[in-house]
Amino acid sequence: QQSKLELEQEPHFFAKVMEEDRATIAATIEQIKEEDYEKAIERLSKAETVYVLGLRSSFTAANWLSYTLGLVRGNVRLLRPETEDVIQTLSQMNDKSVVIVISFHRYLKETIQIAELAHTQQAFIIGITDSLLAPIHAYSHLLFPIYSPNRSTLDATASLFSFINAVVAGLSV
């Protein structure tokens, strides 16, 4: 909020906010290895089933990603631990499954535990997070850091959605 209050004092507030978003997207582009992106697209295209997990502040991105991936390919499931038997779902995973895990600061233990269990089922884990040192890195086969100038998921939203949009675009072509 403080960073937005500082911008509010200047003219063209919305343009300044959008310029900050553009800067975070540019910083995210610099952090992501193109060969990792291409590996992710290849794995997603060959997977029997793709699962997407994101809780709390990551839920909206996970929901959008699972919906749009589902438009491009079949067998995409949004993991919803609050409404489904996750243990049963995890037991169906195998080496032909891909799990995309979105996890940002204030990392939830539940997200990490589900990723760990999916990893033990031989699923291929794609982590999307705010740091290469985030807890999800321990279980990710590929890890994509999304830049944020601070530890706010709100400030990472533009770059997060831009990246997951690039994932959907890559899979669609």
Side-chain angles (χ1 to χ4, degrees), residues 110-125:
E110 188 173 17
T111 302
I112 307 309
Q113 290 168 340
I114 292 170
E116 179 182 12
L117 292 170
H119 191 267
T120 62
Q121 288 293 112
Q122 306 301 311
F124 189 84
I125 312 295

Side-chain angles (χ1 to χ4, degrees), residues 1 7 14 56 92 98 114 131 133 137 159 172:
Q1 184 180 13
L7 288 179
F14 83 94
R56 291 202 184 164
Q92 298 168 1
V98 172
I114 292 170
S131 169
L133 301 176
H137 91 277
S159 47
S172 69

Side-chain angles (χ1 to χ4, degrees), residues 76-88:
V76 178
R77 293 196 46 200
L78 177 64
L79 290 171
R80 302 281 308 261
E82 72 280 5
T83 60
E84 69 179 292
D85 184 350
V86 176
I87 300 300
Q88 180 182 358

Side-chain angles (χ1 to χ4, degrees), residues 2-17 19-20:
Q2 185 60 38
S3 66
K4 301 304 181 259
L5 287 173
E6 291 169 12
L7 288 179
E8 195 268 332
Q9 304 303 317
E10 301 177 30
H12 313 295
F13 174 73
F14 83 94
K16 298 283 186 196
V17 171
E19 283 296 329
E20 283 190 352

Side-chain angles (χ1 to χ4, degrees), residues 56-126:
R56 291 202 184 164
S57 64
S58 300
F59 175 77
T60 301
N63 188 41
W64 184 87
L65 180 57
S66 68
Y67 174 76
T68 53
L69 282 177
L71 295 174
V72 175
R73 56 151 295 147
N75 292 330
V76 178
R77 293 196 46 200
L78 177 64
L79 290 171
R80 302 281 308 261
E82 72 280 5
T83 60
E84 69 179 292
D85 184 350
V86 176
I87 300 300
Q88 180 182 358
T89 303
L90 285 163
S91 70
Q92 298 168 1
M93 293 180 187
N94 57 40
D95 63 343
K96 294 174 180 65
S97 304
V98 172
V99 182
I100 300 172
V101 180
I102 303 172
S103 176
F104 282 81
H105 179 68
R106 296 209 176 199
Y107 314 104
L108 296 178
K109 287 181 186 177
E110 188 173 17
T111 302
I112 307 309
Q113 290 168 340
I114 292 170
E116 179 182 12
L117 292 170
H119 191 267
T120 62
Q121 288 293 112
Q122 306 301 311
F124 189 84
I125 312 295
I126 297 172

